[in-house]
Amino acid sequence: MFIVEPIACLRDNYAYWLTCSETGVSALVDPSEADPVLASASAHGRTPSFVLCTHHHLDHVGGIPGIAARFSDIKVIGSSYDKGRIDGQTETVTDGDQFTVGGISVEVMLVPGHTLGAIAFVARAGGKTAVFTGDTMFLAGCGRLFEGTPADMHKSLQRIVALPADTQIYCGHEYTADNLRFAASLEPSNEAITRAIAKTADIRSRGLPTVPHSVTEERAINPFVRVQFAELRHNLALGAEASDVEVLGAAREAKDNFR
Ligand code: ZN
Ligand code: FE
């Protein structure tokens, strides 16, 4: 089995510990900054053997040099596309590559859109699945299209939600409350969104992270996944004839301008 623990970084970023329960071997996902990660390593008695980088943005990899200075044997795994764009990267991986973190099997999924080389890490052990999506998929949202196209993002999100229904999704930022406000503006009659808004407000009022959601939850609330639904299309001034990619593009543009 494995356990996942979020580490709050910067203003609203999450780094994660992914730890094999049997062997104690740990990986750090997206360490934005070194200080909170090193403090958490001391507090939990964890030694990271790997750093897993979803993409090259500094708010996901900025902590690597400080972490590598403290844990010298660490392997820093990032996308082949990001070679030269991640300070401290030691290994490059591409779509379909697999490796193990103790008894956890980890598979690399190329998910372009936010960046061209963006990867998600799919962790499997003891019949459980978790996916670390970086800034490609957020809970109830998706990342901005800095390098990729709506077609890239559509394909990437559909690959993520094709994982088993109970897969736990861990994303790079705590944007859930804002994302749900936008989701509700496109699908005001979607009761799953209404319920998620109440649940999110309760969790955040207690200062807790909203991660993870399951694939089932995201299929019910995420407007960038729900591109085929009529109410959402109607509120983007698109009809049944629009392609799913067009709807995703329109939704992304609307979110970029949503206040
Ligand atoms: Zn990013
Ligand atoms: Fe980010």
Side-chain angles (χ1 to χ4, degrees):
M1 295 295 279
F2 56 80
I3 50 173
V4 178
E5 297 153 303
I7 308 164
C9 291
L10 303 175
R11 202 166 61 115
D12 51 30
N13 278 78
Y14 290 126
Y16 296 98
W17 290 110
L18 169 65
T19 304
C20 170
S21 332
E22 281 80 33
T23 62
V25 177
S26 279
L28 279 166
V29 183
D30 282 4
S32 326
E33 48 176 350
D35 285 354
V37 169
L38 294 175
S40 163
S42 306
H44 293 84
R46 297 214 189 289
T47 304
S49 302
F50 302 89
V51 174
L52 312 185
C53 310
T54 62
H55 66 297
H56 66 92
H57 287 161
L58 202 59
D59 65 314
H60 298 257
V61 301
I64 292 169
I67 292 162
R70 170 88 163 267
F71 301 102
S72 51
D73 288 341
I74 204 160
K75 280 187 174 155
V76 179
I77 298 175
S79 176
S80 58
Y81 203 96
D82 285 340
K83 199 172 180 194
R85 302 206 289 184
I86 297 174
D87 190 5
Q89 181 172 0
T90 64
E91 329 268 321
T92 59
V93 290
T94 185
D95 193 47
D97 283 355
Q98 299 209 11
F99 54 93
T100 57
V101 174
I104 309 166
S105 116
V106 181
E107 183 184 343
V108 174
M109 192 188 274
L110 185 66
V111 284
H114 178 65
T115 65
L116 283 177
I119 52 182
F121 295 96
V122 182
R124 297 182 177 95
K128 265 196 349 178
T129 308
V131 61
F132 298 89
T133 58
D135 291 354
T136 301
M137 177 183 258
F138 297 125
L139 302 191
C142 76
R144 285 178 188 259
L145 300 177
F146 287 123
E147 298 175 13
T149 62
D152 290 332
M153 182 59 90
H154 175 64
K155 189 172 165 206
S156 296
L157 295 178
Q158 292 302 320
R159 282 190 76 183
I160 292 167
V161 299
L163 288 166
D166 61 352
T167 300
Q168 303 288 287
I169 300 169
Y170 294 91
C171 61
H173 289 265
E174 181 58 65
Y175 291 160
T176 312
D178 275 353
N179 286 343
L180 283 167
R181 263 198 319 121
F182 175 68
S185 77
L186 295 184
E187 290 189 281
S189 61
N190 180 334
E191 287 172 13
I193 294 174
T194 311
R195 283 195 301 273
I197 287 172
K199 181 179 143 199
T200 296
D202 174 58
I203 292 171
R204 295 303 293 153
S205 74
R206 291 182 280 133
L208 298 172
T210 55
V211 284
H213 276 181
S214 68
V215 160
T216 300
E217 284 173 286
E218 284 302 302
R219 281 186 174 282
I221 64 172
N222 192 316
F224 301 96
V225 170
R226 296 174 56 76
V227 285
Q228 73 275 34
F229 287 93
E231 185 183 28
L232 178 144
R233 286 177 171 233
H234 174 78
N235 284 314
L236 290 165
L238 292 169
E241 73 295 341
S243 72
D244 290 350
V245 169
E246 275 177 78
V247 176
L248 186 142
R252 188 57 260 177
E253 214 176 295
K255 176 67 169 71
D256 289 345
N257 299 309
F258 186 74
R259 292 288 171 269

